[in-house]
Amino acid sequence: MERGAIPLGEFPGPFDLQSTVESGQSYLWDRADGRMYDESGAYGGDAWYESVVRVDSEPAVVRVRQIDDRLEWESSVEAAPILRERLRLDDDLPAIRAATPDDDVVESAFDAYWGMRLVDDPPFPSLISFICSAQMRVGRIHGMQRELERAFGATVEFDGRTYHAFPTAEQLAEATEADLRDLGLGYRAPYVRDTARMVADGEARPEEAAGLDYEDARESLTRFVGVGDKVADCVLLFALEYLEAVPLDTWIRTTIEEYYPDCDRGNYAETSRAIRAAFGGEYAGYTQTYVFHYLR
């Protein structure tokens, strides 16, 4: 086992691990104490978090916790560069906040969870996670991903325990709709199966959206079965580095209705443009994530 520590003072702005991985952005982390997504408004904790990542296509376990101004990690590989990328430690958080509007709701959200970062998840697991997210609470979405891992993912031994990686598209494509319904996916089961088959067969890959203009990238992702504009925006924001993306889920639509009614334009595309402008444009997705975690 390798161990190390990452001093957080070398990165721009503060960092908070708990809110970063327990704010509905990622469903690829778990808590060693089994309490993932048990509490709303998660912030400031020192629990161990675990994830199975892929290094040169091979699964490896990474554990991390935050103790004051450092991240302590344990892994079978050198985890510091993985954590730096996946937790976006290099983002200049003070500059991002300075670019957001002077707005009471936004300022309150940043004050409450200052240090929360966006995640940078692998695109395929992110895509599947958010296909599963429709009409589901974050704890249930998280549970679905653990079920998929246990049923279809490769196993990896680490520190006397057996872990499961998130299944590859090829592994998940072998599942039947009945298999997935048995795991509790309900009507999402054929969406997950068919999207996995699209990727496994080479028909489409979520990474193909990267580099396109934002709205073209969103349209590219809607090729996948079960993916509408909201799910596409989630994948763009949390896996493909489109920091301007604002997923218009129930919480954000309620926020628009209550605090930004002028941004409601009656359809997704126009409302999206309006709320992105209200949330600061280039970093609107950061603003959205703070507001979502604050008001949820």
Side-chain angles (χ1 to χ4, degrees), residues 13 25 39 55 62 70 76 91 100 102 120 125 187 229 236 275:
Q25 306 181 56
E39 57 186 298
V55 179
V62 173
R70 69 186 186 279
S76 54
D91 283 1
T100 62
D102 185 12
D120 188 6
Y187 70 85
D229 290 331
L236 291 176
I275 195 62

Side-chain angles (χ1 to χ4, degrees), residues 6-13 69-70:
I6 302 174
L8 294 170
E10 65 186 49
F11 300 103
D69 59 353
R70 69 186 186 279

Side-chain angles (χ1 to χ4, degrees), residues 4 17 28 42 46 53 87 98 100 114 121-122 124 134 136 148 160 180 248:
L17 177 63
L28 304 182
D46 60 2
V53 302
L87 302 175
T100 62
W114 186 224
D121 275 348
F124 179 71
M136 281 288 172
L148 290 173
L180 296 170
L248 300 183

Side-chain angles (χ1 to χ4, degrees), residues 153-225:
T155 59
V156 55
E157 302 296 323
F158 178 71
D159 194 25
R161 288 178 52 194
T162 300
Y163 292 81
H164 294 82
F166 196 89
T168 63
E170 291 74 18
Q171 289 168 329
L172 203 50
E174 294 298 318
T176 66
E177 181 178 339
D179 292 334
L180 296 170
R181 286 186 180 274
D182 286 345
L183 298 179
L185 270 66
Y187 70 85
R188 305 159 196 82
Y191 303 161
V192 168
R193 177 203 60 197
D194 291 349
T195 286
R197 290 177 180 177
M198 289 176 69
V199 177
D201 292 345
E203 181 181 343
R205 297 169 59 247
E207 295 90 339
E208 291 168 352
L212 298 176
D213 289 343
Y214 162 63
E215 293 191 358
D216 292 335
R218 186 171 64 198
E219 181 67 22
S220 173
L221 289 175
T222 62
R223 293 178 295 166
F224 294 99
V225 183

Side-chain angles (χ1 to χ4, degrees), residues 109-174:
F110 272 102
D111 286 342
Y113 298 108
W114 186 224
M116 180 173 67
R117 305 292 176 111
L118 292 181
V119 298
D120 188 6
D121 275 348
F124 179 71
S126 180
L127 177 64
I128 296 299
S129 296
F130 285 105
I131 289 174
C132 292
S133 71
Q135 300 179 349
M136 281 288 172
R137 294 187 177 275
V138 290
R140 185 71 185 95
I141 304 164
H142 176 262
M144 285 182 179
Q145 309 322 301
R146 303 290 76 72
E147 294 288 348
L148 290 173
E149 290 171 354
R150 286 189 286 266
F152 304 108
T155 59
V156 55
E157 302 296 323
F158 178 71
D159 194 25
R161 288 178 52 194
T162 300
Y163 292 81
H164 294 82
F166 196 89
T168 63
E170 291 74 18
Q171 289 168 329
L172 203 50
E174 294 298 318

